[in-house]
Each structure stands twice: as C-alpha cells, then as structure tokens.
Amino acid sequence: MNGRTNQVAVLVNHLGNPFEASLVSYVEAALQQHGYSMILQTYRQDADESALQLLAERADGLLLMGQTLADHSLDYFRSRGIPLVSLMRPAWEKQGIPSVDLNWLQAMRKTIEYLMSRGHIEIGFMTNGNPAHYHTHRFSSFIQAMQLCKGRFDHANVLNGGGTYLKAYDAMEQRIASGELTFSVLVCANDLMAIGALAACRHYGIDIPRQLAIIGCEDILMSSEVYPPLTTIQYDRGQLCRAAVDVLMARINGEENDPPAPMVDGFLVVRASA
C-alpha cells in the first residue's frame, strides 16, 4: 500500500473515563509493536462529522471504541480504503464492522448464577441510558442471561446512570428517596456507575451489602480501593486491545484471511460489596 502514514486513528468517547484511558494505553503499546503510532480523536454523536473525514488523510486505519458512525462517514472511510475495527461491540452492528469485546453473555450469566446462589431473586441493573452507547450491549446480555438463568427481570428495576459517577449517584439517590428499592442487588454497566451508586447508599445509610449488594463491570483501579471494595467483572484488557489491533492491522495489510474477531472471557472478582 503506497502513501502509508503508519498511524491509526483511535476514537474515544471520554478520556476522563479511567476504563477508556486504560484501553488507550494498551492500544498504543499494541500499535507500537507493529511500528505504528496513534492519533486520538474524541467522538461525540452531535459533533461535526467532517472532523472524522480529516482523519482519512492522516491515518491508515480507524479504531472505534464502540461508536456507531453515521452512514455518510462510514461510506467516506470505505471510499478511501480506510479499514475500521471496533474495540467493544457497538449498540448497533448494522455496518459490518468487526468488533472485539468481552463475552458479556457468559460473564453476565456467571454473575447471575453467583447472585442466585447467594439467595438474590430481584436483581436490578444500572445502564447508561443512551441507546447508542456500547453499554447497551452489556444491558442486553444481562437480560439474555437472566432469561437463561430463569430469573425474574422487571424493567422497573432498571436505573439510568448516564455512564458517570455523578449521574449514577443522582439516580441512586432518587431511587432511595422514592422508597422503591425493589431489588436486593444492583448490577451496573460500568464501575464508575457502581461506585457512584455505592457512594449514594453510603451517604443515606444503606448497608452494603446487607441491605443492597452492588456489582460493577471492568475492574478499574479504584474499584478495589473504595469502601466497601467493589465486586466486579474483570477481564484482560491488554488481550482485548491486542486482538483488536491485530484485526485492524490484518485489514490494513490487505490480508486475504482476516483473523477472527475474538471474544475475551471474563470472571467475577468477589469483594465486600456483594
């Protein structure tokens, strides 16, 4: 391929999120192994899509972090021969972009089986609230896992935490104030929301885990340092990022047989919050 830049553009949602920040560091290390450097670009759905098109002149490939691009942007990248791969499965997969992610159905099923073995029947879920966010896949996997485990799923037990600590705190505060804690455990789509929910419970005197157990996803660094330490789904983020970069590099190099987009296994790290 002529005119290579030896750069890959990486679209991030929010670098203030410690989970995504850690992924960026792993991606950078994996790209360096291939002799590539990285261009970071923050992506928002309401941003000017023309900013993405400028990346086509600077990058040999584009690595998404679970975003769903507008059709005209996708068409533009494809017309320029710029391959795309998603690190994390997007909410909408209609575009034929390969994705690499945790096997969330397996992880959620193991989590629910553990909770049921502990006597939990009513299980709540805190999701992002944005249907286009990659957390949506984690939520749908939770629903599927509840069905497989023959658990009772009630949409009244769903909270929208906005993906952040503060919004999760507010959502949990409102639920506590309403007096409608109708579940004995809350599974959150990421650790930031789980920590926000935990902080709200602590502020209002809800005993964790005796009155309410809380579980997160991702196992970010602070998850083991909060009080009580957070039970969460852990997986090898380095393996995830290396796999995504390998798939992208195969496409950049025009290999006829792309490596399969794998799913990474995860497991529940049980700490004092559940």
Side-chain angles (χ1 to χ4, degrees), residues 2-269:
N2 295 325
R4 285 197 176 184
T5 66
N6 288 96
Q7 296 185 121
V8 163
V10 180
L11 296 190
V12 295
N13 299 286
H14 179 40
L15 271 177
N17 182 327
F19 170 67
E20 289 198 12
S22 71
L23 293 182
V24 167
S25 65
Y26 284 119
V27 167
E28 183 177 37
L31 286 171
Q32 287 174 346
Q33 292 294 316
H34 291 275
Y36 267 71
S37 59
M38 177 178 64
I39 305 168
L40 280 181
Q41 174 76 45
T42 300
Y43 175 80
R44 298 196 321 272
Q45 284 181 288
D46 59 351
D48 184 359
E49 292 279 347
S50 64
L52 296 180
Q53 296 176 2
L54 293 176
L55 293 176
E57 299 175 4
R58 303 172 58 197
D60 299 331
L62 182 64
L63 187 68
L64 308 174
M65 282 203 183
Q67 299 96 345
T68 301
L69 298 185
D71 289 340
H72 65 270
S73 291
L74 179 61
D75 291 341
Y76 182 82
F77 280 109
R78 285 176 169 164
S79 71
R80 297 292 299 268
I82 307 295
L84 296 89
V85 171
S86 183
L87 173 58
M88 293 178 293
R89 185 174 171 180
W92 301 317
E93 294 187 285
K94 61 182 180 180
Q95 300 168 313
I97 298 172
S99 62
V100 177
D101 204 348
L102 174 69
N103 186 339
W104 283 105
L105 179 58
Q106 177 201 58
M108 289 295 180
R109 184 171 185 173
K110 288 181 178 178
T111 299
I112 291 166
E113 287 173 348
Y114 167 78
L115 293 173
M116 288 183 167
S117 74
R118 303 277 292 180
H120 294 286
I121 298 174
E122 298 294 338
I123 302 175
F125 193 90
M126 181 176 282
T127 189
N128 186 289
N130 178 358
H133 197 277
Y134 60 81
H135 286 166
T136 300
H137 174 59
R138 302 180 185 183
F139 182 34
S140 62
S141 296
F142 168 80
I143 294 174
Q144 285 181 269
M146 286 288 283
Q147 293 170 342
L148 289 171
C149 295
K150 303 188 185 305
R152 294 204 303 262
F153 173 71
D154 188 338
H155 278 282
N157 292 338
V158 177
L159 284 72
N160 292 333
T164 69
Y165 172 94
L166 289 176
K167 290 181 180 178
Y169 185 103
D170 290 344
M172 193 72 228
E173 181 179 48
Q174 291 172 19
R175 181 56 68 100
I176 293 169
S178 72
E180 296 179 352
L181 276 181
T182 54
F183 42 85
S184 62
V185 58
L186 180 67
V187 178
C188 301
N190 73 354
D191 281 5
L192 280 181
M193 291 193 292
I195 294 169
L198 192 153
C201 289
R202 191 168 61 242
H203 179 79
Y204 285 93
I206 304 295
D207 188 301
I208 306 293
R210 187 177 63 84
Q211 290 177 272
L212 178 69
I214 296 180
I215 291 178
C217 299
E218 301 168 348
D219 197 25
I220 60 177
L221 182 61
M222 68 180 76
S223 298
S224 61
E225 302 303 317
V226 297
Y227 181 79
L230 183 66
T231 296
T232 186
I233 295 171
Q234 184 187 87
Y235 52 103
D236 190 334
R237 293 193 288 274
Q239 179 187 358
L240 188 79
C241 294
R242 289 190 296 271
V245 168
D246 286 347
V247 174
L248 182 60
M249 294 306 303
R251 294 197 156 206
I252 289 173
N253 293 326
E255 296 179 11
E256 291 185 6
N257 297 315
D258 287 349
M263 288 192 293
V264 176
D265 292 332
F267 57 94
L268 190 69
V269 177

